[in-house]
Amino acid sequence: MTKYIFITGGNVSSLGKGITSASVGRLLKSRGLRVVIIKIDPYLNVDAGTMNPFQHGEVYVTDDGAETDLDLGHYERFTDQDLTQDCNITTGRVYDTVIRNERAGKYLGGTIQVIPHITNEIKQRIRKAARGSRAEVAIVEVGGTVGDIEGQPFYEALRQFRNDIGRNNGLNIHLSLVPYVGPAAELKTKLTQHTVKELRGIGIQPDIIVCRTKYPLKDDLKAKISLFCDVPKECVIAAQDTPEIYEIPMIFDKQNICDIILDKLDIVTTDENEIGEWVDMVNRLKHPENGKVTIGIIGKYIQLKDAYISIHEAIKHGGIANSVEMEIKLIDANRIEKGYGAKTLKKLDGILVPGGFGYRGIEGKIKAIQYARENNIPFLGICLGLQSAVIEFARNIMGLEGANSSEFDEKTPHPVIDLMLKQRGITDKGGTMRLGAYPCKITKKTIAHNCYGKTKIDERHRHRYEFNNDYRKKFEKAGMVFSGINPGEDLVEIIEIPDHRFFFACQFHPEFKSRPTNPSPPFAAFVGAALDYAREKRK
């Protein structure tokens, strides 16, 4: 029978429930257990696909094409396993299913209510995700904080769920802020006491309390939280701020959180704690041997770091692969478009142009790509980055004046990037792009082949527009190499400029499959090229 861990949060949002869930998953997996992590998002959207990056951060895409919350990226990176669309449950999905069932007469004329119909649907979806992954332990994170009106049906469902499966088959972990009050020069536990009180008021008693804190949590404070919140002292776990999120599993491990969980869930495993690989990775990350490399991300959503969180992490993974310290600079494409930022570009060892939507900032991205190409600076383009590179090449190498994407200029004389035939006529925005993993055939003796070391790969997509094949021969004649092609639809997946130090752009998103213990090949190669360039500059 699957065991379940429910992770909730109090006080404020963005406390780190996602990292906590991912870290617990990593530790349980290190004990030889099959784990799945599920994210509950109480917002009314069906999925994250139509959300503004400034509000919600990046949209993470799974192999099966789900547009999900960015926490699924943390889950996959920490556990090094692929999740599915079943692992993201939203209010929109739940209510949509219940309403459709009601319209189809599946409730036999009954009055549809939050309890039991909505709560039953929530529980059914949790079971489905656990069953589909054949998990021995399913970790369920509830987004938001206790007390949010949107989350009430989900907390009620979790309360029911633990009774349904038996008390020894479920466990509640609650994450709370323990703030430091400057004038008093001490940590305060009252917020934790209140959030636990509110959680208990809806029928959920935490078994473990994880305390997010800026400073060490001393024994007397742990004892106080234990007394007022009715949990054993050893079940009060300190989650002290750390500059590196990949240290969190090690911090938890030192406090024996995994042993506590296994004991409370009556799980017996003979596997030794296999966290050594993770510890080695963190040591390589913290103690690089090859100096520092500076990478610039030319973005549209730089005001919110989470908008490019998978890009950030994949660059760090490339740093681990090359044993180099990564300095990442977020550069506003709009400023480059207006003529600023030239001095910043000169200081970079590598230029990365990520994905995005809409015309804003495009000309700045194109200028940055032109600078990278003309100055032989390592360049990596992703999704819109590939499309911008194609436009730049068409204008400045091929002399195709006015070349553009039909997304940005419907009347362009040279639509080198154009809407897929399958996308024309689609009006719904959510879930209708080319989403999820698609195959790519790689040409030998290319940068792409050097990166991946094989001729067949699968990478994840999220876009509507593609390279216009009507121009392919003209581009090849001008010197561009199309080293990756989707074999089924003959779509361009990877472009290169062979006489450049490193000029590589892909239509897919390799950052979504990058792991700290298994870095994305393009990112590792890009950082390696940037390291060589940095060394050359130092001579």
Side-chain angles (χ1 to χ4, degrees):
M1 181 177 181
T2 301
K3 305 281 187 171
Y4 292 86
I5 299 172
F6 306 107
I7 297 182
T8 55
N11 314 132
V12 295
S13 59
S14 301
L15 272 182
K17 295 188 301 298
I19 299 299
T20 298
S21 303
S23 298
V24 170
R26 179 75 220 185
L27 291 173
L28 291 172
K29 188 177 178 183
S30 74
R31 297 296 182 93
L33 296 169
R34 293 191 305 275
V35 175
V36 67
I37 312 181
I38 303 161
K39 175 67 185 290
I40 290 176
D41 280 308
Y43 50 67
L44 284 171
N45 303 64
V46 172
D47 58 40
T50 58
M51 290 185 177
N52 189 323
F54 287 121
Q55 292 184 12
H56 193 73
E58 79 171 7
V59 175
Y60 190 80
V61 179
T62 59
D63 269 354
D64 61 355
E67 295 176 286
T68 74
D69 182 83
L70 60 82
D71 276 330
L72 268 76
H74 290 312
Y75 304 162
E76 289 199 348
R77 285 188 285 272
F78 276 67
T79 62
D80 193 17
Q81 63 187 47
D82 297 332
L83 300 177
T84 69
Q85 61 181 332
D86 291 334
C87 296
N88 195 196
I89 301 171
T90 68
T91 299
R93 287 184 185 275
V94 170
Y95 273 80
D96 181 64
T97 299
V98 171
I99 290 170
R100 287 176 184 271
N101 286 344
E102 184 272 330
R103 293 288 84 185
K106 292 184 179 181
Y107 299 122
L108 303 177
T111 301
I112 312 306
Q113 298 175 290
V114 173
I115 303 171
H117 300 92
I118 296 299
T119 51
N120 282 348
E121 179 63 24
I122 292 168
K123 292 188 290 182
Q124 187 274 331
R125 284 178 175 270
I126 292 172
R127 290 191 186 94
K128 180 183 178 184
R131 186 169 59 246
S133 61
R134 297 184 298 110
E136 294 170 282
V137 180
I139 301 169
V140 183
E141 177 199 343
V142 184
T145 58
V146 173
D148 292 345
I149 191 169
E150 299 95 335
Q152 290 178 4
F154 294 99
Y155 291 111
E156 170 61 21
L158 297 192
R159 184 195 67 76
Q160 295 177 18
F161 198 97
R162 191 167 180 185
N163 286 329
D164 293 345
I165 61 177
R167 306 301 292 177
N168 291 336
N169 294 316
L171 180 146
N172 298 317
I173 297 178
H174 191 60
L175 185 65
S176 174
L177 177 67
V178 179
Y180 178 81
V181 179
E186 60 180 338
L187 294 169
K188 293 293 187 179
T189 67
K190 187 62 70 174
L191 285 179
T192 298
Q193 295 175 42
H194 277 292
T195 186
V196 170
K197 180 181 178 181
E198 189 161 8
L199 189 66
R200 293 168 72 178
I202 56 179
I204 298 175
Q205 166 65 38
D207 300 285
I208 297 172
I209 298 176
V210 176
C211 299
R212 179 70 184 270
T213 171
K214 188 174 182 179
Y215 299 103
L217 197 65
K218 295 181 180 179
D219 282 349
D220 60 333
L221 288 180
K222 287 189 175 184
K224 188 175 182 180
I225 292 170
S226 170
L227 175 65
F228 282 96
C229 298
D230 195 25
V231 296
K233 181 180 170 183
E234 64 271 16
C235 294
V236 179
I237 305 296
Q240 187 176 342
D241 292 355
T242 174
E244 183 44 64
I245 60 173
Y246 297 130
E247 290 187 88
I248 300 298
M250 297 154 57
I251 292 172
F252 285 174
D253 191 54
K254 288 179 181 178
Q255 299 175 77
N256 301 313
I257 192 172
C258 199
D259 291 326
I260 294 169
I261 290 170
L262 294 177
D263 179 62
K264 287 184 175 293
L265 291 177
D266 292 333
I267 296 175
V268 178
T269 174
T270 57
D271 288 53
E272 296 292 328
N273 190 351
E274 297 294 337
I275 198 175
E277 179 190 22
W278 194 263
V279 174
D280 289 344
M281 177 274 294
V282 173
N283 286 334
R284 292 197 306 274
L285 175 61
K286 295 177 65 177
H287 305 288
E289 299 175 352
N290 295 319
K292 184 168 71 173
V293 165
T294 303
I295 301 296
I297 299 176
I298 317 299
K300 300 171 60 173
Y301 317 113
I302 65 169
Q303 291 86 345
L304 183 64
K305 182 181 176 181
D306 281 356
Y308 298 113
I309 193 164
S310 288
I311 296 281
H312 271 263
E313 297 308 310
I315 291 173
K316 284 164 56 176
H317 304 163
I320 295 170
N322 290 277
S323 191
V324 62
E325 178 186 351
M326 302 307 306
E327 179 183 16
I328 301 172
K329 291 186 177 294
L330 288 170
I331 301 170
D332 190 345
N334 290 295
R335 285 185 56 80
I336 295 177
E337 184 174 332
K338 294 174 183 177
Y340 304 105
K343 291 183 179 179
T344 304
L345 293 177
K346 289 180 181 179
K347 297 177 183 178
L348 301 177
D349 301 314
I351 293 175
L352 188 152
V353 176
F357 295 90
Y359 184 67
R360 184 178 60 83
I362 291 299
E363 295 301 326
K365 290 174 180 274
I366 291 171
K367 283 185 177 181
I369 294 168
Q370 181 179 1
Y371 185 87
R373 180 181 57 77
E374 292 179 347
N375 291 278
N376 205 21
I377 299 174
F379 165 74
L380 176 61
I382 297 172
C383 196
L384 183 59
L386 174 142
Q387 297 175 7
S388 300
V390 165
I391 295 169
E392 190 279 326
F393 193 90
R395 292 178 185 177
N396 299 317
I397 296 296
M398 299 170 63
L400 299 179
E401 187 175 347
N404 213 328
S405 167
S406 58
E407 178 184 7
F408 312 134
D409 182 2
E410 294 181 356
K411 297 180 180 179
T412 173
H414 298 290
V416 291
I417 303 295
D418 203 3
L419 190 64
M420 298 171 57
L421 289 175
K422 293 181 180 179
Q423 291 291 325
R424 294 175 184 176
I426 290 178
T427 56
D428 284 353
K429 299 298 183 184
T432 56
M433 290 183 277
R434 184 150 79 106
L435 292 166
Y438 284 84
C440 173
K441 184 177 181 181
I442 292 176
T443 304
K444 292 183 178 180
K445 298 181 180 181
T446 59
I447 297 173
H449 191 255
N450 289 337
C451 288
Y452 286 97
K454 51 188 176 182
T455 58
K456 293 181 180 179
I457 62 169
D458 289 277
E459 292 280 15
R460 299 177 187 177
H461 292 248
R462 183 175 182 254
H463 62 99
R464 298 183 191 279
Y465 290 78
E466 304 277 357
F467 177 84
N468 188 340
N469 280 333
D470 291 342
Y471 288 86
R472 191 187 294 185
K473 290 183 179 180
K474 293 179 180 179
F475 272 82
E476 288 175 331
K477 188 176 181 180
M480 181 172 281
V481 172
F482 299 96
S483 56
I485 301 294
N486 178 290
E489 299 185 65
D490 194 34
L491 298 173
V492 170
E493 298 278 14
I494 304 172
I495 65 169
E496 306 176 6
I497 298 178
D499 57 355
H500 192 279
R501 183 189 304 275
F502 184 92
F503 194 102
F504 178 101
C506 48
Q507 186 60 72
F508 47 77
H509 290 265
E511 70 271 21
F512 290 150
K513 298 186 79 167
S514 188
R515 317 281 192 254
T517 53
N518 186 20
S520 163
F523 277 88
F526 171 58
V527 172
L531 175 59
D532 291 341
Y533 178 60
R535 285 171 169 168
E536 186 177 303
K537 287 196 298 183
R538 296 189 197 113
K539 292 180 180 179

